[in-house]
Amino acid sequence: MRRLIQVLGAGLLIQFLALSLFAQQDKLIGKWEGKIQSPQGERPTTATFKKEGDIVVGTMPGMRGGSELKLKDIKVDGNKVTAKADVETPQGAFTINYSFTLEGDAMTGQGNVDFGGQSIAFDISLKRAKDESQPTQPAQSAQPQPPAGQNPQRRSSVPQPQQKQSIDYFVGQWSYKYIGRESAFGPAPRECTLTFTKRADGKTLDGKTECKGDSASFKHSAVLVYDEATKQMTLTEKLSTGITINSKGDWSSPISIKFTIDPVKSKGQSLQLRRTISIVSAHSFAIAEELAEDGGQFVRLGSAVLSKAGATQ
């Protein structure tokens, strides 16, 4: 009899813990609306959570218009919520780690990303959507039709931030840390500032890069020309190593610039560089580079996230 009571007690305890876990998860289920605040500015966002069997799944808007992030490994422990999202970009894949504090119909927290060895954090503030906190209403009869000649109003979609393609975007001073491996194009890691100034013709920029590596300081120069009509640019870089890089960039997409770069020779080697710039915001962009040596396969060379000096935080 005592053994039976112990077994029944253990079963009730397990059942109680399971019900407690489900109750915690239920606090999260529904749609949430709010804002993301990052060094690149503020923008609206949403989060939707639902149950699939015994687990909770969720979604949030992606970084590109119309895209969606799938939240995984969602855990609720008291008023603490954690989740992850995997993101694919031209620079490669990375993971966003989310942590929130849930208080009633409000949820606040952060997302954290390790991008190219640099940690980027952004604050998130959410409130439960009003229609999710109310009991489900019975289906309504057909809605009244609008007056003749008028179209019914449609809910407008939230605009996604896009950067206008313009030579003025690059004007100013940018700081960054380049993470990668050493090559004929320079040492790594290195911390640099890049300054672009506009010429009188309005379409040409002079660039100056000053870098500090582990053992030395060095400078590069560059000339950037952009044609707004064709969305094409030419970039000529003269490196401290004596190498000159000639490249052409296609900025027809507002979110990225893909470069075609002429191969170069260095110490008897044939080097082919591949580079993509991703526009993050009005005062931040990311660079990813790959290198092929002597006709071999392209492998990752390095990456950096550039931030404009004096940008509003």
Side-chain angles (χ1 to χ4, degrees), residues 213-270:
D214 290 338
S215 58
S217 299
F218 50 94
K219 297 180 180 180
H220 304 320
S221 63
V223 175
L224 174 64
V225 182
Y226 180 62
D227 186 340
E228 291 197 7
T230 62
K231 301 293 189 294
Q232 303 297 305
M233 64 172 58
T234 59
L235 177 63
T236 302
E237 303 165 80
K238 294 184 177 181
L239 309 185
S240 61
T241 57
I243 293 177
T244 297
I245 302 175
N246 295 303
S247 58
K248 295 181 180 180
D250 180 356
W251 201 2
S252 55
S253 166
I255 61 175
S256 66
I257 307 171
K258 293 186 176 181
F259 287 88
T260 301
I261 302 175
D262 294 342
V264 299
K265 291 282 188 179
S266 176
K267 297 180 179 180
Q269 273 191 316
S270 176

Side-chain angles (χ1 to χ4, degrees), residues 25-41:
Q25 292 177 347
D26 286 343
K27 297 188 299 183
L28 187 63
I29 303 305
K31 183 176 180 181
W32 301 75
E33 298 174 339
K35 297 179 179 180
I36 289 179
Q37 180 70 49
S38 72
Q40 288 75 44

